[in-house]
Structure formats: structure tokens, C-alpha cells
Amino acid sequence: MRSAAQAARKEARILIGRIAQGDNPAETKLLDAKTITIKELCTRYLADCEAGLVPGKGGRPKKPSTMEIDGSRISRHILPLVGNRRVTEITSADIAKFLRDVANGKTRADIKTKKRGRAIVRGGIGTGSRGVGLLGGSSRMPSGKASSKRTRFTAFVNQKIASVTVV
């Protein structure tokens, strides 16, 4: 009991110090609650792709096959591993862990899709790096050339964060 009271006093002192410096913990908590999750962001991304708002190669709307592949990557790799995290909480360490988990086969699955169809999801380094590219975790390709797909999704993420976190 005594240690819980001491911990509460210590937390209260920290909050009083933050308030004295001009910080508003209630406002910060409210903004954190309004920040969207990766799952919500991916849902918006796919909806915007279908509406033709996310450009593909040459500034044209993405092809249906590309949107299907992006949707598959999102549903099979991104959502199971980081879907419940808030967008503002994702760090480069989280991206590295995501890449490691996909490369090690954490999202491996053998799923029946149709009467005689199945989807064999293996993971691997290439799959992980394409998933990271879709998340916008890196803005440069290994060869040094800028990846337009990565920068487009990163720009989309930044735009959505700005539109959601403004009160």
C-alpha cells in the first residue's frame, strides 16, 4: 500500500512539473486517443486507392491488380503484426521488428481460398521489405534510388496524421 501511494505522489509531481512548463497532459491524452491506428490508416489507404486518389506509376491511378496485392500484404502481414498500434507510436525499431518477424515466417499461413484454391503465405526477407515499403518505413531503395511507392504511402500517412491530429 505504501509503495503505491509513493508512486502516485511521484507521478503527481511529474504531472505538476509538466503543467508548470506549459504542457497540457489532458490535451495530449485527448490527441493520443484521436490518433488513428495502423488498421484504420490501411483501410483509408485502400479506399483512397479504389477511388483513384493514390497515384501509381506515371501519376495514373493504381491498377486493380496492384491494389489487390497491396490489400493482401496489408491483411496478411501488416494488420496481424502492427494493426492495433497507433500511427504516432510506430518507431524505426517497430519497423525493424516487423521486418524480422515477416522474414522469420511469423505470418506464415496456408489458407483455403476457394473450392480448389489456396493461398500459401511464406513470408521471407523480400516479403518483409515490400511490407515495410508499403508502411513507408524507408524512403530509399537499397540501390540508392528513391522509391516512389514508399514516398507516396509515406506522404499519404503524413497527410492522414495531419488531418486526424488537428483539433
Side-chain angles (χ1 to χ4, degrees):
M1 288 277 186
R2 190 171 189 177
S3 64
Q6 289 174 345
R9 283 189 199 103
K10 185 176 181 180
E11 182 68 27
R13 282 189 204 113
I14 291 170
L15 284 175
I16 290 171
R18 287 176 53 195
I19 292 169
Q21 291 177 350
D23 192 16
N24 186 349
E27 183 179 317
T28 305
K29 192 173 184 179
L30 182 65
L31 286 176
D32 288 344
K34 287 184 176 182
T35 304
I36 62 174
T37 62
I38 294 290
K39 182 177 181 178
E40 293 166 345
L41 179 69
C42 289
T43 304
R44 289 182 183 186
Y45 173 73
L46 292 174
D48 286 352
C49 281
E50 289 180 14
L53 301 175
V54 179
K57 288 184 179 178
R60 296 182 302 270
K62 287 191 171 197
K63 294 181 181 179
S65 60
T66 305
M67 290 186 286
E68 185 178 332
I69 291 168
D70 285 351
S72 177
R73 264 190 206 118
I74 288 169
S75 66
R76 303 210 193 270
H77 300 290
I78 295 172
L79 294 183
L81 295 177
V82 293
N84 294 329
R85 304 279 309 271
R86 300 255 180 227
V87 172
T88 54
E89 294 175 355
I90 298 293
T91 63
S92 58
D94 295 327
I95 298 293
K97 184 178 183 316
F98 170 82
L99 180 60
R100 240 184 352 266
D101 288 345
V102 173
N104 290 333
K106 191 170 182 179
T107 55
R108 180 177 292 145
D110 188 353
I111 303 164
K112 184 172 180 160
T113 58
K114 298 178 186 173
K115 184 176 179 180
R116 294 185 184 191
R118 65 193 253 204
I120 301 172
V121 181
R122 293 187 182 100
I125 295 172
T127 304
S129 65
R130 286 186 289 275
V132 167
L134 189 59
L135 276 175
S138 173
S139 61
R140 308 232 16 117
M141 293 285 281
S143 65
K145 295 181 180 177
S147 167
S148 60
K149 182 176 184 180
R150 289 178 183 170
T151 53
R152 280 194 309 269
F153 190 74
T154 305
F156 177 80
V157 168
N158 293 337
Q159 174 190 0
K160 291 300 178 184
I161 290 171
S163 68
V164 171
T165 57
V166 173
V167 178

